[in-house]
Amino acid sequence: MTNLATNLVTTAQEHPDAVAIKLDDAQLTYAQLHGLAAKAAGALRAAGLQEGDRVSLILPNVPAFPILFYGTLLAGGIVVPMNPLLKGQEIEYFYTDSGAKFSFVWGDFAAEAHLGAEGTSTKVITSGPVGPSEEDLPSGEAIAVPVERAGDDTAVILYTSGTTGRPKGAELTHDNLDLNAMRSAEDIIKISTGDVIMGCLPLFHVFGLTCGLNAAVRQGATLTLVPRFEPGKALEVIARDKVTIFEGVPTMYGAMLHHPSVAETDTSSLRTCVSGGSSLPGETLREFEETFKVSLLEGYGLSETSPVASFNMLDRPTKPGTIGRAIPGCEMKLLDAEGKEVGPGEGVGEIAIRGDNIMKGYWGNPEATAEAIPDGWFRSGDIASVDEDGYYTIVDRKKDLIIRGGMNVYPREVEEVLYSHPDVLECAVVGVPHPELGEDIGAAVSLREGAAADTEEIKQYVKDRVAAYKYPRTVWVLDELPKGPTGKILKREIHAPA
């Protein structure tokens, strides 16, 4: 039996009274979560769901998400998690492309979902905190034992936020997700029953889904949900629920670090923190470990790799500033522009990945699949170097590279310098069109409260610390940098002022 939902069934048998999901005062034990998921599976079957049919979830981090996620899998369906902030036109594309039969939607987002469903065959069903009401979905006989699925059958279709063209649906199999959750829980983060994991990463995103929900369910740990990340609320939940494992993206760590209540919050329960989603500035890592007295481990992955590919692991030396080594079951190498391997100390290359975490392909898009995985190795689009010990350091996204007058400038290097400036809270370095050079260096920054620095001073600060061709000629201040659903800074939405 390789259905991913088997993990829920097993944990519910072994730890029926352990708390699975918490949301403030509401909580579900593993027995209750299994019971509600089995009921949802029966209702879906009664409503006409066949094995392999797609079910979209447009839900925030509320108990309904795990209930309907595992309910769909128990019934043999495929889950299509979607960002609740999508608008009607975008939703229509996802519904049409995935061929979703049903879509469970949180009330606040129902109007856009109904708009998106017009002209499609998707049935939109409003969900409350623990699922839809009986009027919206007929009750059927509960399906407590998962429908048999093969390990390479698709379990989830995750749409990647395409920077060019339309998003593509990465097909992740039952084996992809199960093995990656196991590696996350056992090899990397060392999660066990009794652990409390912070659930502030969105569950519709692969990081929160695998390392949060699926890893917790596999090990019988508690996932305490936060529907919308806010640093003060996160600190409050850590203290209240005695959170032992925090999983976040760099902006979350920065926000908690600089929150006024950090000094008087009891965060002593924290044992391990993990960061992914984008590069963690070295300054944030050092400050966070010092303030919170906890290890902060950085790793790397993509939607297409289920997501974890490499990590600084607890049982090996950690190297701050790196994304660690390839995890068990996964291989990584660097390739130059001609496709030749780049060895340790030989410069930079594009990360290529092979292993049991690689997606089956892009849903209904064999051309894009062949381009991404031409020879069994998935091309990540990320540029990195590797050292003698096999630790990788991300230099930048291939597409973020700035070529200034023929010279390569990797934004990450300039951003590290900016983050070391005492007044800079967040920054993003981007290419700015230039008539002679093709591109020049620009930097958008947001400043800490009470900061005195001006743009000229910041520019000079960087100029003193990097080669002349690398410092930003244009610096501008924003109240806040644009961010995606996980809190990752969106460079594609940052443009220099005219």
Side-chain angles (χ1 to χ4, degrees), residues 311-387:
F311 236 96
N312 278 282
M313 287 172 258
L314 284 167
D315 55 3
R316 303 234 175 95
T318 60
K319 293 195 182 185
T322 76
I323 52 166
R325 298 157 50 108
I327 64 165
C330 172
E331 299 169 80
M332 285 169 52
K333 66 180 179 182
L334 300 179
L335 299 173
D336 67 13
E338 277 74 58
K340 294 193 183 70
E341 193 164 345
V342 178
E346 290 178 4
V348 300
E350 181 180 4
I351 296 177
I353 307 163
R354 179 170 76 175
D356 55 34
N357 54 340
I358 301 297
M359 66 169 181
K360 187 168 165 176
Y362 291 116
W363 175 260
N365 197 337
E367 298 82 12
T369 303
E371 196 183 324
I373 318 171
D375 48 8
W377 288 85
F378 171 73
R379 304 300 199 271
S380 68
D382 288 309
I383 305 296
S385 60
V386 63
D387 69 13

Side-chain angles (χ1 to χ4, degrees), residues 188-467:
I188 303 164
I189 315 170
K190 310 283 186 208
I191 299 170
S192 56
T193 310
D195 268 321
V196 179
I197 303 170
M198 183 72 154
C200 57
L201 287 165
L203 295 177
F204 63 78
H205 189 272
V206 68
F207 187 6
L209 184 66
T210 294
C211 303
L213 179 61
N214 288 338
V217 167
R218 211 176 190 288
Q219 305 301 101
T222 299
L223 185 68
T224 181
L225 297 173
V226 176
R228 189 174 165 273
F229 178 79
E230 192 281 308
K233 175 69 176 175
L235 289 165
E236 182 193 310
V237 172
I238 291 170
R240 183 194 72 199
D241 293 345
K242 303 281 179 276
V243 171
T244 55
I245 292 159
F246 189 99
E247 301 173 348
V249 294
T251 51
M252 291 178 179
Y253 290 108
M256 291 197 301
L257 197 49
H258 302 115
H259 194 271
S261 72
V262 73
E264 63 267 17
T265 304
D266 178 12
T267 59
S268 60
S269 59
L270 283 177
R271 187 179 78 242
T272 306
C273 296
V274 295
S275 178
S278 58
S279 295
L280 179 69
E283 199 56 38
T284 306
L285 173 72
R286 284 186 291 278
E287 258 190 275
F288 192 89
E289 289 196 331
E290 211 169 282
T291 306
F292 286 78
K293 309 281 182 278
V294 65
S295 298
L296 174 49
L297 307 173
E298 189 174 5
Y300 167 78
L302 308 100
S303 297
E304 291 91 340
T305 61
S306 304
V308 187
S310 70
F311 236 96
N312 278 282
M313 287 172 258
L314 284 167
D315 55 3
R316 303 234 175 95
T318 60
K319 293 195 182 185
T322 76
I323 52 166
R325 298 157 50 108
I327 64 165
C330 172
E331 299 169 80
M332 285 169 52
K333 66 180 179 182
L334 300 179
L335 299 173
D336 67 13
E338 277 74 58
K340 294 193 183 70
E341 193 164 345
V342 178
E346 290 178 4
V348 300
E350 181 180 4
I351 296 177
I353 307 163
R354 179 170 76 175
D356 55 34
N357 54 340
I358 301 297
M359 66 169 181
K360 187 168 165 176
Y362 291 116
W363 175 260
N365 197 337
E367 298 82 12
T369 303
E371 196 183 324
I373 318 171
D375 48 8
W377 288 85
F378 171 73
R379 304 300 199 271
S380 68
D382 288 309
I383 305 296
S385 60
V386 63
D387 69 13
E388 298 292 344
D389 301 320
Y391 285 72
Y392 288 78
T393 300
I394 296 272
V395 179
D396 239 308
R397 286 292 293 165
K398 198 168 159 182
K399 60 178 179 295
D400 289 342
L401 174 71
I402 301 167
I403 302 173
R404 181 184 187 271
M407 303 288 273
N408 288 359
V409 178
Y410 292 102
R412 169 83 197 271
E413 186 189 351
V414 185
E415 286 161 2
E416 282 288 346
V417 176
L418 281 162
Y419 272 114
S420 70
H421 188 290
D423 283 355
V424 172
L425 180 64
E426 288 179 344
C427 68
V429 170
V430 295
V432 176
H434 189 281
E436 284 91 51
L437 299 165
E439 280 186 298
D440 210 339
I441 318 301
V445 298
S446 69
L447 301 175
R448 296 180 198 267
E449 220 168 298
D454 62 21
T455 55
E456 284 307 313
E457 190 213 311
I458 291 169
K459 198 186 295 185
Q460 188 62 46
Y461 178 86
V462 182
K463 188 179 179 181
D464 293 343
R465 288 163 175 79
V466 298

Side-chain angles (χ1 to χ4, degrees), residues 41-61:
L44 277 165
R45 179 58 54 79
L49 184 87
Q50 305 287 315
E51 287 176 33
D53 281 346
R54 276 75 64 207
V55 176
S56 135
L57 302 183
I58 305 183
L59 301 167
N61 284 12

Side-chain angles (χ1 to χ4, degrees), residues 118-188:
E118 285 172 17
T120 75
S121 56
T122 306
K123 181 178 163 92
V124 174
I125 301 163
T126 304
S127 172
V130 291
S133 66
E134 304 258 330
E135 299 88 79
D136 291 325
L137 201 61
S139 54
E141 199 177 323
I143 301 174
V145 177
V147 166
E148 187 87 50
R149 301 301 280 160
D152 65 353
D153 278 342
T154 304
V156 169
I157 299 173
L158 274 174
Y159 280 86
T160 63
S161 45
T163 43
T164 53
R166 296 285 198 134
K168 300 187 286 282
E171 286 187 75
L172 301 179
T173 67
H174 290 269
D175 277 352
N176 285 155
L177 291 163
D178 180 39
L179 291 168
N180 210 251
M182 178 187 82
R183 304 256 153 76
S184 302
E186 294 175 13
D187 296 309
I188 303 164

